[in-house]
Amino acid sequence: MPSIYLSPSTQEYNPYICGGNEEMYMNLIADEMEPWLISNGISFTRNTPDMTAASSIAQSNEGNYDLHLALHSNAAPPALAGTLQGSIVFYNPDRSQSKRAAEILADYLRQIYPQPDLVSAQPTDYLGEVLKTKAPGVLIEYAFHDNCQDATWIRNNIPLLAKTTVEALTEYFGIPFVQAQPPRSAVVQVSSGCLNIRSRPNTKSTILRCVPNGHRLTVVGTLPDWYVVQDGGQPGYAASRFIRLI
């Protein structure tokens, strides 16, 4: 199952023209992403507002993540302050998976940003959270927080930005997109043997573990014939006909 390092901006000193700041809004997006990530079986570790970009990179590099995802908003150079708009997803030009993730994220953002032609995936030669991470890194600049229209768009679309970002991640990881739902307790019901917990919702995918009859799980997502489950905090897919909700 995929795992990400989720790194919303820690830049509380970047004010939004409409009030608030970059750290605040990016953490609100990350908050909204969490239930979507859980229901889609994507494990995550998240930085905290008291960290920095450098400490976020260091923590990310201590783990084994499939993607490092940084959430930010942008600001124009002083001479152009307030005049630029658009979404940019930055990638490492030397890592094909970073570029692929950025292009998928940009494709999904085009579906919701008011001016799709202003959404792009671009290489970077200076962003540490893209260039210095062990995992493939991407950094989203959702819009320009010094532009009134862009800042208002972020402020008014936090749940949509979160959902769209996770939907793009499921395409990147090659897993089905699942609607977020509250976790539900469940119990395994098999007449013999054990129930396979798999890496994908099909019987040809890798078996992550096998759990016995009566074993308790948490159902966090629902697909036709399959559940996304957590077992001891570890996500996977299991055939729903062998699971009873309690």
Side-chain angles (χ1 to χ4, degrees):
M1 298 296 290
S3 64
I4 68 169
Y5 187 87
L6 182 60
S7 183
S9 173
T10 58
Q11 296 168 310
E12 76 281 355
Y13 46 80
N14 286 341
Y16 271 47
I17 194 168
C18 55
N21 60 65
E22 182 178 349
E23 179 185 87
M24 181 185 81
Y25 282 109
M26 294 305 105
N27 275 278
L28 288 173
I29 292 172
D31 291 344
E32 292 283 342
M33 284 177 65
E34 288 197 8
W36 290 100
L37 292 168
I38 291 168
S39 288
N40 281 276
I42 301 173
S43 300
F44 61 92
T45 298
R46 178 175 166 181
N47 69 358
T48 59
D50 61 331
M51 295 172 69
T52 64
S55 60
S56 298
I57 292 167
Q59 186 180 62
S60 176
N61 290 345
E62 290 173 357
N64 292 302
Y65 301 101
D66 299 301
L67 188 72
H68 180 104
L69 178 63
L71 311 180
H72 285 256
S73 54
N74 212 341
L80 297 172
T83 66
L84 300 184
Q85 291 182 265
S87 297
I88 306 171
V89 187
F90 287 102
Y91 64 86
N92 184 336
D94 296 323
R95 301 188 72 173
S96 60
Q97 289 301 93
S98 172
K99 182 179 181 181
R100 178 174 171 268
E103 289 175 341
I104 291 172
L105 284 158
D107 284 343
Y108 275 82
L109 287 172
R110 286 189 191 97
Q111 298 174 29
I112 63 170
Y113 185 74
Q115 301 179 73
D117 58 319
L118 297 182
V119 179
S120 62
Q122 297 182 19
T124 179
D125 60 3
Y126 67 93
L127 291 171
E129 286 199 85
V130 178
L131 301 176
K132 296 181 180 180
T133 54
K134 182 170 68 173
V138 292
L139 185 148
I140 303 173
E141 300 273 22
Y142 283 109
F144 283 79
H145 56 248
D146 62 344
N147 177 280
C148 188
Q149 286 178 289
D150 267 18
T152 300
W153 177 73
I154 290 175
R155 184 186 63 192
N156 291 345
N157 289 282
I158 288 170
L160 179 61
L161 287 166
K163 177 184 176 182
T164 301
T165 302
V166 175
E167 192 169 5
L169 291 177
T170 62
E171 180 171 331
Y172 173 72
F173 289 124
I175 57 177
F177 180 64
V178 178
Q179 293 294 318
Q181 64 178 58
R184 293 176 290 175
S185 298
V187 63
V188 173
Q189 290 190 320
V190 290
S191 57
S192 62
C194 56
L195 174 63
N196 292 325
I197 309 297
R198 296 184 177 271
S199 63
R200 295 290 187 274
N202 65 72
T203 56
K204 294 182 180 180
S205 63
T206 302
I207 297 173
L208 302 175
R209 54 200 171 277
C210 195
V211 295
N213 184 57
H215 187 80
R216 293 195 172 231
L217 300 166
T218 302
V219 171
V220 293
T222 302
L223 290 162
D225 303 321
W226 293 84
Y227 284 139
V228 186
V229 300
Q230 283 195 347
D231 175 32
Q234 298 300 310
Y237 297 92
S240 57
R241 68 182 182 276
F242 299 118
I243 294 176
R244 177 173 60 86
L245 298 173
I246 55 176

